[in-house]
Amino acid sequence: MKRSFLVMVAILATVFTAYAQQKLDLKLIKETVETESGYYNDILNIYQTDDPLIRLDDLALVYYGQAYTDEYRGASDSNEEELKSNIAAGDNHKAYQLAKKILSYNPVSLNALFYAWRTAGELGKPQSEVDSYVNKYLSLLNMIISYGDGKSSRNPFYVISPDDQDHILYGILDIEEVYDRKLDTSSLCNIVKVKPSGKFAQNIVYINVALFLSHTSK
């Protein structure tokens, strides 16, 4: 996966400009998903149609809201593991079909969006389809880095899947070397020791993983 990120870093670099810090209200997102399902589904439909006017907080509702749906699988999605196996084997057709299957129940899977983008292009799918995957993938990454700077446990990046950490590290921060990852049980942040990059000057990245840890412990 790391090599794939580095190959496409020139495209991803256009997303990473500056951290425009927003306040992430997970409690409100949870309440919205659980008590205003109609509104949540309306926003999800707007996301699915690649509406250019979708707001940052709408993207946050769609992405983090996935963690409060019945479809959420946290860190235990066998389809995601099979997808990575297909990619490693170079089977673009199977990977493409599986990525689309994952997106049918988890439309914010960064793995599925990334590999759907990659395989759709290599399989000669319509450019409009490729662009849709690109738009969703980059929009979600841009949203995540707008709700944290990753420089402390007080202002970490928040993710809903373990693999999403690598999309942030390699795809956005342009990190080339990761030396260690350790969970801080008090903050529920992964403390990731890295080689600083031109886009991230310090050697520690804080990524909050509470959402999928909570799901795993159920």
Side-chain angles (χ1 to χ4, degrees):
M1 180 180 288
K2 177 180 177 182
R3 179 173 296 179
S4 299
F5 284 125
L6 296 179
V7 167
M8 306 184 84
V9 73
I11 298 175
L12 294 171
T14 62
V15 180
F16 189 87
T17 51
Y19 294 116
Q21 293 300 295
Q22 306 291 322
K23 179 177 175 56
L24 181 61
D25 191 338
L26 291 175
K27 181 180 179 181
L28 177 60
I29 289 173
K30 182 177 186 291
E31 291 176 352
T32 301
V33 173
E34 293 177 347
T35 66
E36 299 182 53
S37 59
Y39 176 74
Y40 172 73
N41 287 329
D42 286 343
I43 299 301
L44 181 59
N45 288 334
I46 292 173
Y47 161 81
Q48 294 281 39
T49 61
D50 299 306
D51 189 325
L53 299 181
I54 191 169
R55 301 173 303 176
L56 197 67
D57 57 347
D58 291 335
L59 288 168
L61 174 61
V62 171
Y63 176 77
Y64 295 108
Q66 178 71 20
Y68 303 110
T69 66
D70 293 337
E71 292 78 19
Y72 180 58
R73 304 186 185 185
S76 59
D77 189 341
S78 60
N79 287 325
E80 295 257 7
E81 296 306 311
E82 185 179 350
L83 173 61
K84 287 182 280 188
S85 296
N86 289 335
I87 290 295
D91 193 332
N92 289 330
H93 180 72
K94 285 186 178 179
Y96 170 74
Q97 294 297 332
L98 193 53
K100 291 185 65 176
K101 178 181 179 180
I102 293 168
L103 292 172
S104 70
Y105 61 82
N106 181 6
V108 297
S109 167
L110 293 180
N111 274 343
L113 287 169
F114 180 80
Y115 288 124
W117 159 17
R118 172 177 157 182
T119 56
E122 294 180 353
L123 293 171
K125 300 298 180 181
Q127 189 60 43
S128 59
E129 181 181 348
V130 177
D131 290 345
S132 179
Y133 299 133
V134 173
N135 176 68
K136 291 181 176 68
Y137 180 75
L138 298 183
S139 294
L140 291 175
L141 286 179
N142 185 58
M143 179 276 297
I144 292 170
I145 65 170
S146 296
Y147 284 95
D149 61 14
K151 296 179 179 179
S152 72
S153 60
R154 295 183 303 278
N155 199 28
F157 298 120
Y158 288 82
V159 297
I160 65 171
S161 168
D163 286 346
D164 291 357
Q165 298 175 89
D166 286 340
H167 290 272
I168 297 298
L169 293 170
Y170 300 127
I172 291 296
L173 303 184
D174 201 13
I175 299 298
E176 294 188 5
E177 296 291 341
V178 172
Y179 302 121
D180 186 40
R181 302 184 194 218
K182 182 180 299 184
L183 177 65
D184 175 14
T185 55
S186 61
S187 66
L188 297 182
C189 285
N190 268 341
I191 301 175
V192 188
K193 293 183 180 180
V194 302
K195 178 181 178 181
S197 71
K199 297 176 183 175
F200 196 79
Q202 69 181 46
N203 62 2
I204 297 290
V205 184
Y206 293 83
I207 304 178
N208 187 286
V209 294
L211 286 171
F212 68 78
L213 286 178
S214 175
H215 181 268
T216 302
S217 66
K218 289 181 180 180

